[in-house]
Amino acid sequence: MTKMLRLKWMSISVSAVLAGLAGIACSEAADCPRKDALGTSRVLSVDAKTTPRIGLKSFPETLPLADHEVVLTFDDGPHPPTTSKVLAALAQECVRATFFLIGLHASEHPDMVKRIAREGHTIGHHTWSHPFMARIPFEKAKSEIDRGIAADEMALKGVSTTTPSTPFFRFPYFEGTPAQLDLLQSRGIVVFGADLWASDWNEMTPEQELKLVTERLAAAGKGIILFHDPKARTAAIMPAFLRYLRDNGYRVVHVVPAGMSQKSADAH
């Protein structure tokens, strides 16, 4: 091979690598049928070894997000009437989120669990029955964690296992003891808090919720946002909230476990 050909081949190879890396970050935007959709700007791998606990509402650290980057998370589902509406809004904007499922609900609605995964979202875990974890004995808390994971995995893949395919967990009410946190870290499970929340557990109108969460986001500039997909008011505001993100230059980041390739994330 001549020097000129070698240089040309190297240039093509470098271009291919760069194109591939760009594809990893932007494949979802490219695949989105709506060119004016918000889209998902990039995929962020999260590893329990380096970031075992994240979310400034609960912990000193959070995800390495740039200004105007957000991670959308939803707790307490699945609840088909409202989760379906949330999923439809996300699909309309080609956005991917993370759903922290209650095991009891997952066992009752396995088809909805499969749909959440089929549509490309990340499935995390949120105990079996949503207790105040800091107020119960350690063994009972451990059982809540394991039973919840097993129910989610059974609904998702038909296999009851306490080893989660996605090692992401969020405590109900953000309450956990040091021993419970250490247990999860020893098992390589990332504990998610949040950086800001919609407070959608409080009685308010959809308009009030939209105003509250957008004002909080404008003040924070970025972060992990907490919603609850079983809440009708949250399902109602989701199209308008996603439009707000798009119109104000926010970018959605999709979180996946460390080691998951883009291809796996797309099939997730």
Side-chain angles (χ1 to χ4, degrees):
M1 185 182 291
T2 66
K3 183 176 180 181
M4 184 176 293
L5 283 175
R6 278 199 303 272
L7 289 172
K8 184 177 180 181
W9 181 86
M10 287 174 64
S11 174
I12 292 171
S13 298
V14 170
S15 298
V17 169
L18 292 175
L21 290 174
I24 287 174
C26 305
S27 64
E28 292 163 57
D31 294 341
C32 186
R34 282 186 55 231
K35 299 305 178 188
D36 62 338
L38 173 62
T40 303
S41 68
R42 68 183 178 107
V43 175
L44 176 62
S45 293
V46 182
D47 191 341
K49 292 176 183 175
T50 54
T51 49
R53 303 161 191 173
I54 51 177
L56 297 178
K57 286 289 188 183
S58 304
F59 307 113
E61 293 184 302
T62 192
L63 293 174
L65 300 176
D67 183 53
H68 274 61
E69 285 191 331
V70 297
V71 172
L72 304 182
T73 68
F74 296 87
D75 283 9
D76 293 4
H79 180 65
T82 48
T83 304
S84 294
K85 293 178 181 178
V86 169
L87 289 172
L90 296 173
Q92 177 70 12
E93 293 292 340
C94 300
V95 164
R96 290 184 175 178
T98 299
F99 289 77
F100 290 91
L101 305 183
I102 294 175
L104 176 60
H105 297 171
S107 68
E108 293 171 339
H109 306 291
D111 289 344
M112 182 58 65
V113 177
K114 291 181 178 69
R115 177 183 168 187
I116 293 169
R118 186 170 65 248
E119 295 187 9
H121 305 291
T122 296
I123 289 180
H125 309 281
H126 199 46
T127 74
W128 164 253
S129 66
H130 204 276
F132 284 95
M133 294 282 279
R135 307 179 194 182
I136 60 177
F138 177 80
E139 286 303 320
K140 185 174 174 66
K142 183 176 180 295
S143 175
E144 275 283 341
I145 293 168
D146 285 341
R147 192 176 178 192
I149 291 171
D152 295 341
E153 294 295 326
M154 174 59 78
L156 182 62
K157 297 185 175 179
V159 177
S160 180
T161 175
T162 57
T163 301
S165 49
T166 298
F168 293 170
F169 179 85
R170 180 178 270 156
F171 280 98
Y173 313 105
F174 297 104
E175 282 195 7
T177 67
Q180 293 164 13
L181 286 164
D182 289 345
L183 171 68
L184 289 160
Q185 186 171 355
S186 73
R187 292 172 59 177
I189 297 175
V190 180
V191 175
F192 274 73
D195 298 322
L196 62 146
W197 47 56
S199 295
D200 52 0
W201 53 84
N202 293 324
E203 286 301 321
M204 67 180 91
T205 66
E207 292 76 17
Q208 287 170 327
E209 182 184 342
L210 182 62
K211 182 175 185 291
L212 181 68
V213 71
T214 53
E215 286 178 349
R216 286 176 176 174
L217 178 56
K222 61 180 179 179
I224 305 166
I225 307 175
L226 167 68
F227 292 101
H228 291 79
D229 51 298
K231 297 295 184 182
R233 63 181 70 91
T234 290
I237 72 160
M238 200 47 52
F241 177 69
L242 296 175
R243 284 196 299 274
Y244 170 86
L245 295 181
R246 184 187 64 198
D247 293 345
N248 288 275
Y250 288 93
R251 299 174 303 281
V252 176
V253 175
H254 178 212
V255 293
V256 300
M260 179 178 283
S261 66
Q262 178 65 32
K263 185 175 180 180
S264 297
D266 289 340
H268 190 57

